[in-house]
Amino acid sequence: MVDSLNTIISELCAIVISTAALGSLFLYAKQPIIIAYIVAGIVIGPYGIALINNANDITQMGHIGVILLLFLLGLNLQPQRLLKLFRESALITLSCSLFFFICTFLFALLIRLPLTDALITAAAMMFSSTVIGLKLIPTTTLHHQRIGEIMTSILLIQDILAISVLLLLNIDREHNIGFAILFVFAKLIIIIVSAYLAVKFLLLPLMRKFDVIQEYSFIATLAWCFFWAEISHRVGLSYETGAFIAGTLLAVSPISNVIALHLKPLREFFLILFFFAVGANINLLASDYYTLWGIIFGIALVRIKAWGFNQALAISEPKAPINKELSARLSQASEFSLLLAYTAIMNGMISEQGKTFIQMVTLTTFILSTYWIVTRYPTPISNKNDLRQD
């Protein structure tokens, strides 16, 4: 037990020190600091100098950052506004996802991936990164401007699609797929109704009674977030889904903005672990034919996604000044892409070559889109004073 605890502490020390050191070098070189976190994972992770021998624990801890990210997003979205945004963005999201699926599927067949690999790879590349999209947009833009509202709704619809695809990968082939998906939506409705009743008759009364004690508000809010995240996971949905529902239903509270402010540093720490884990799971020494194709297609996919979103947005809102910026911010693959690859490989549905291809495409799009956004548009981590906005 003591040895295990010492190992965790030593690994966290190594992660914090390496990310700070590389982050300093990257900032001196005027490079995005997120890339430093990924590079740190590659360098000291299991496939580098192996200061971190097993990236699984770090991956799980990093996942907490994604859960908090979705919870905080929900805290700033009123349910009525969210439904309106969904109606506006559904067609754009679905049409773009289909376009990206077709492009990836054809390329995967072109490089002679097996049919099943090609289908799973195409599904993995339909989505954009919620983590990168939300982390690289200024908070004021995200919550108070049109571009933030549209991006939020697109990413959330994509997350629902991604959860549906994960369900299909885990489903028992003897059961009816249509019934299974319907069952998932039924569980989603039950969670929303239950969380609504709990926030109205339990959480908000408690918060009003003890709101002068900041420590209580902090721990009660965290408990609310993780309780519904865990419930969501237990019934076959994702942690992120439960956290987002918990945040959205708590958005009616007058202290939601204060809660979001207090939780932001905690979110940032765990997101550092998330990006570190992305790098730690990449084995550059095992590079092969499909690693090269993954890099090539990753470069192309950034432009394909930006073009696809720009065309769809232009049809919806012709000549809107935000279209190009929004397209750039959505031009990468998703953290769900990696999760789909891991799920498929565990279920024996995809080859190692297919998994390698998905990993390299995703990592390449993460790096390129981050550079593009940080150097061209306002972000909280820009090295240019005129573009640095929080």
Side-chain angles (χ1 to χ4, degrees):
M1 181 68 179
V2 174
D3 289 342
S4 177
L5 179 61
N6 288 338
T7 299
I8 293 174
I9 293 174
S10 296
E11 289 183 346
L12 284 176
C13 289
I15 292 169
V16 172
I17 293 169
S18 64
T19 52
L22 281 172
S24 300
L25 292 175
F26 270 62
L27 290 177
Y28 269 114
K30 300 189 180 301
Q31 305 303 313
I33 196 168
I34 286 180
I35 308 303
Y37 304 152
I38 296 175
V39 172
I42 295 173
V43 172
I44 74 168
Y47 304 112
I49 61 176
L51 289 180
I52 307 296
N53 293 316
N54 189 338
N56 290 335
D57 291 339
I58 305 303
T59 300
Q60 294 301 319
M61 285 191 287
H63 196 188
I64 295 175
V66 184
I67 293 170
L68 289 172
L69 184 70
L70 269 295
F71 178 66
L72 293 178
L73 177 62
L75 278 177
N76 288 277
L77 277 176
Q78 295 290 334
Q80 299 87 344
R81 182 61 183 157
L82 179 62
L83 290 174
K84 182 183 178 186
L85 290 172
F86 272 13
R87 288 195 297 269
E88 291 177 354
S89 303
L91 184 58
I92 292 173
T93 308
L94 294 174
S95 59
C96 286
S97 296
L98 178 60
F99 174 65
F100 304 145
F101 179 94
I102 292 171
C103 290
T104 306
F105 179 69
L106 293 176
F107 187 87
L109 291 180
L110 183 66
I111 61 174
R112 298 183 179 180
L113 278 174
L115 180 61
T116 303
D117 284 26
L119 287 170
I120 293 174
T121 301
M125 294 304 140
M126 290 194 297
F127 318 115
S128 301
S129 173
T130 302
V131 175
I132 290 180
L134 298 184
K135 183 172 177 57
L136 294 185
I137 190 169
T139 302
T140 52
T141 302
L142 177 63
H143 299 313
H144 304 297
Q145 294 185 22
R146 178 68 174 166
I147 185 173
E149 293 179 338
I150 296 175
M151 187 173 76
T152 296
S153 58
I154 289 174
L155 289 171
L156 289 175
I157 293 172
Q158 285 190 343
D159 285 351
I160 293 172
L161 285 175
I163 292 167
S164 300
V165 173
L166 282 171
L167 171 71
L168 292 176
L169 293 183
N170 287 303
I171 227 168
D172 187 340
R173 296 303 180 273
E174 295 179 359
H175 294 161
N176 183 276
I177 292 177
F179 175 78
I181 294 176
L182 186 64
F183 189 47
V184 166
F185 279 99
K187 289 187 284 188
L188 185 63
I189 292 172
I190 291 172
I191 286 179
I192 292 173
V193 173
S194 301
Y196 171 76
L197 294 174
V199 77
K200 183 176 182 180
F201 296 109
L202 178 62
L203 186 63
L204 288 183
L206 286 172
M207 298 290 254
R208 281 193 289 267
K209 186 173 180 62
F210 302 114
D211 62 351
V212 294
I213 305 174
Q214 288 190 359
E215 289 85 354
Y216 177 79
S217 298
F218 178 79
I219 195 63
T221 303
L222 272 183
W224 175 256
C225 168
F226 289 126
F227 175 79
W228 290 106
E230 180 64 21
I231 291 293
S232 179
H233 172 69
R234 290 294 180 95
V235 300
L237 301 174
S238 70
Y239 290 109
E240 292 86 354
T241 300
F244 178 74
I245 292 171
T248 303
L249 294 176
L250 191 55
V252 297
S253 169
I255 64 170
S256 59
N257 289 334
V258 177
I259 293 170
L261 185 64
H262 287 167
L263 290 180
K264 187 176 178 182
L266 190 64
R267 178 203 71 179
E268 292 300 323
F269 172 72
F270 284 106
L271 283 180
I272 289 172
L273 297 183
F274 169 82
F275 286 109
F276 178 92
V278 169
N281 282 291
I282 300 298
N283 186 3
L284 294 180
L285 298 178
S287 300
D288 58 14
Y289 171 80
Y290 288 103
T291 300
L292 177 61
W293 279 122
I295 294 172
I296 292 172
F297 185 66
I299 296 171
L301 187 62
V302 170
R303 300 305 306 181
I304 290 170
K305 286 205 167 193
W307 183 86
F309 276 117
N310 192 45
Q311 295 303 307
L313 290 166
I315 294 172
S316 175
E317 297 187 51
K319 299 182 180 179
I322 64 172
N323 288 354
K324 286 188 177 181
E325 179 179 348
L326 185 55
S327 300
R329 291 186 182 277
L330 295 169
S331 63
Q332 67 291 117
S334 170
E335 53 278 359
F336 275 111
S337 306
L338 299 172
L339 184 56
L340 282 172
Y342 301 146
T343 303
I345 201 78
M346 285 189 297
N347 292 341
M349 300 175 65
I350 192 174
S351 66
E352 283 292 338
Q353 290 81 6
K355 176 189 171 184
T356 298
F357 181 73
I358 292 174
Q359 284 183 326
M360 293 315 302
V361 173
T362 303
L363 182 61
T364 302
T365 63
F366 275 13
I367 293 172
L368 292 182
S369 66
T370 298
Y371 271 109
W372 188 6
I373 296 165
V374 168
T375 56
R376 291 285 301 277
Y377 301 106
T379 72
I381 62 170
S382 177
N383 291 304
K384 300 178 180 179
N385 292 334
D386 58 328
L387 292 180
R388 191 182 307 116
Q389 297 179 20
D390 202 352

